[in-house]
Amino acid sequence: MTRPFAIILGCSDSRVPAEIVFDQGLGDLFVIRVAGNIVAPSQVGSVEFAAERYETRLVVVLGHTQCGAILATLEELRQPTEQSRNLLAIVDRIRPSVQGLLHTSLKDDPDALVREAVRANIRASADHLRHGSALLEQLIRDRGLLVVGAEYSLETGVVDFFDAPV
Ligand SMILES: [Zn+2]
């Protein structure tokens, strides 16, 4: 059986296909993509499925610079609009990790704000996977499952694995 060696929870953005970013082939990666690399029940379930079935022991939450879902969330926080309920379901997953940043000095520096918001959202998704599932918690504790957060830079092509568990 082909066993993917990593599970990637990435953004749907057309510029960040996980297999190309990491130079991997068929069968190597179990990839879950959703706008804003958010973690909702179906994403947790997908990670649980792959970690159980394929015994994959590495999960990478892969966000990226200039993420449109983060930009949309920041716009929504500044000026709420009539979004579709479905789109709001994504924004609402991102909102808690970024809204606090609007009350810091970052609010006066739009580029820095987006940079920090992207990373805060990646951290939140990784934390959610580490603590939002009894099965994943057990695999982390007993079977060496590792969940890390990483950011792909559209500008440089570099992936920064900045969020590892302590
Ligand atoms: Zn994105």
Side-chain angles (χ1 to χ4, degrees), residues 134 136-145:
L136 295 182
E137 279 190 16
Q138 186 221 325
L139 290 174
I140 288 169
R141 193 176 59 238
D142 302 334
R143 311 278 286 282
L145 181 74

Side-chain angles (χ1 to χ4, degrees), residues 29 41 50 56 88 115 136 138:
L29 303 176
T56 306
L88 269 180
R115 270 200 306 278
L136 295 182
Q138 186 221 325

Side-chain angles (χ1 to χ4, degrees), residues 34-165:
V34 58
N37 41 270
I38 59 160
V39 175
S42 56
Q43 281 80 44
V44 179
S46 299
V47 173
E48 288 176 344
F49 169 81
E52 275 272 279
R53 171 156 302 210
Y54 306 118
E55 298 180 11
T56 306
R57 289 296 173 257
L58 174 64
V59 181
V60 180
V61 174
L62 181 67
H64 65 98
T65 59
Q66 300 172 39
C67 182
I70 301 295
L71 295 170
T73 302
L74 290 170
E75 285 163 18
E76 182 68 24
L77 282 166
R78 283 201 202 93
Q79 196 163 22
T81 54
E82 289 282 314
Q83 298 276 16
S84 91
R85 195 163 53 85
N86 305 303
L87 200 54
L88 269 180
I90 293 176
V91 166
D92 284 343
R93 296 263 170 200
I94 298 172
R95 184 195 309 263
S97 57
V98 307
Q99 65 185 358
L101 299 174
L102 287 171
H103 305 296
T104 68
S105 57
L106 285 169
K107 69 179 190 305
D108 302 319
D109 185 343
D111 292 342
L113 176 64
V114 172
R115 270 200 306 278
E116 275 309 307
V118 163
R119 289 190 171 229
N121 179 56
I122 293 167
R123 272 188 220 102
S125 287
D127 274 341
H128 191 152
L129 290 178
R130 289 180 194 125
H131 304 295
S133 152
L135 175 61
L136 295 182
E137 279 190 16
Q138 186 221 325
L139 290 174
I140 288 169
R141 193 176 59 238
D142 302 334
R143 311 278 286 282
L145 181 74
L146 187 65
V147 180
V148 300
E151 181 194 56
Y152 173 73
S153 168
L154 292 177
E155 297 79 16
T156 66
V158 171
V159 177
D160 180 7
F161 289 83
F162 70 96
D163 181 61

